[in-house]
Amino acid sequence: MNVQKINQILSENNFPKYRLSQVLDGIFKQFASSWGEITNLPKELIEILEKEAPISSLEAAQDFEALPKDAAKILFKAKDGNFAETVLMKHADKGESGGGRKTVCISSQAGCAMNCAFCATGQGGFFRNLTAEEMLDQVLHYCRILKKQGERVNNIVFMGMGEPFNNYDNVIAAIKLFNGAEYLNIGMRHISVSTCGIVPGIEKFAKENIQANLAISLHAPTDEIRNRLMPVNVAFPIKKLLAAVDFYIEKTNRKVMFEYLLIDGINDSDDCAQKLIALMQKKLYHVNLIKYHSTSAALRVSSQARQTKFFDILKKAGVSCTFRRSFGEDIQAACGQLSGQRK
Ligand code: SF4
């Protein structure tokens, strides 16, 4: 759904200004799935919109639902044939609307160039940046589905396919569409951007003067281990990365999430926990431990006992730390599993 294009159509065809409010209300409040569903629009405008401004830039190629029905995933096909995946997570806790929180995890790129060893997206290579419109259409898809169930999307995370800061301008434009009162109207504090550690992107994000959350895919407590898992660490090693995070905190005074996948024999030892504790000694640092979902024959999942021990060591040392629940492992929708391929 391209807001600019709609504006252009309205002005070129001399429709009165209030028609824009009706279009935006139809899309962002009623969550219409077709222009014809917006009943207060004149027939001639509906016909032009149908021809020139498709209500979605993405076509659903394949739908998946996780077994406990707490997650869903959709594979989208863009007009040029590229694929991107989007995940809906239904949390058990209570959100503002009374029902459990609903988080949509979106992709910012078709594929990814960063080649992280634990990630199915990275192993598939990079195709192209997604537009802000394509990111919005991923969220609108689940807004429409949830509306039919009397629910709504409460949170958006940029944790799907792609490195958001490699597509910086489109990601910022999408955040503004998610947050704008006339658009999706989702609070900035309910929008999170996760980066593998692109230092110039973090520094730029710090100066944006927006309240969206920042998450860092850390996954290792030393450069030696991180270089093995994440090639980005060669250009932006841990010291530089944390300096950029501190700059972000200084500018925003906002908490930063450090994501840490536990991988058997690689980063899950007691020694790694101690080294991570030494790094995480800042007030607004928070660690999110995550179960690794095997996407590579070379890496194995940490045992349950190891995961618990690692968490306990961090907790005992006073590190602000949570264990993030996994969603949709059986439909390859969990962290690191998105590949943008039909199953
Ligand atoms: S973890 Fe993120 S940055 Fe790394 S390859 Fe996967 S999608 Fe790209």
Side-chain angles (χ1 to χ4, degrees), residues 1 3 6-7 10 18-31 35 38 41 177 182-183:
M1 219 281 302
V3 177
I6 290 163
N7 251 318
L10 291 173
Y18 68 87
R19 292 291 181 206
L20 178 63
S21 314
Q22 290 177 327
V23 169
L24 295 182
D25 187 78
I27 294 295
F28 293 108
K29 304 289 179 284
Q30 300 167 37
F31 299 119
W35 293 120
I38 310 176
L41 296 181
L177 288 168
E182 67 277 45
Y183 307 126

Side-chain angles (χ1 to χ4, degrees), residues 193-249:
V193 179
S194 176
T195 176
C196 67
I198 308 287
V199 163
I202 297 168
E203 290 167 349
K204 208 167 163 192
F205 195 60
K207 296 181 207 152
E208 286 291 343
N209 200 20
I210 56 177
Q211 301 286 310
N213 304 306
L214 176 68
I216 306 289
S217 291
L218 184 64
H219 307 312
T222 66
D223 283 329
E224 195 202 339
I225 302 173
R226 202 162 186 268
N227 285 346
R228 280 172 64 193
L229 293 175
M230 304 178 75
V232 67
N233 197 66
V234 176
F236 303 118
I238 291 173
K239 200 169 168 201
K240 269 194 188 170
L241 172 60
L242 295 185
V245 169
D246 291 342
F247 175 72
Y248 170 86
I249 290 175

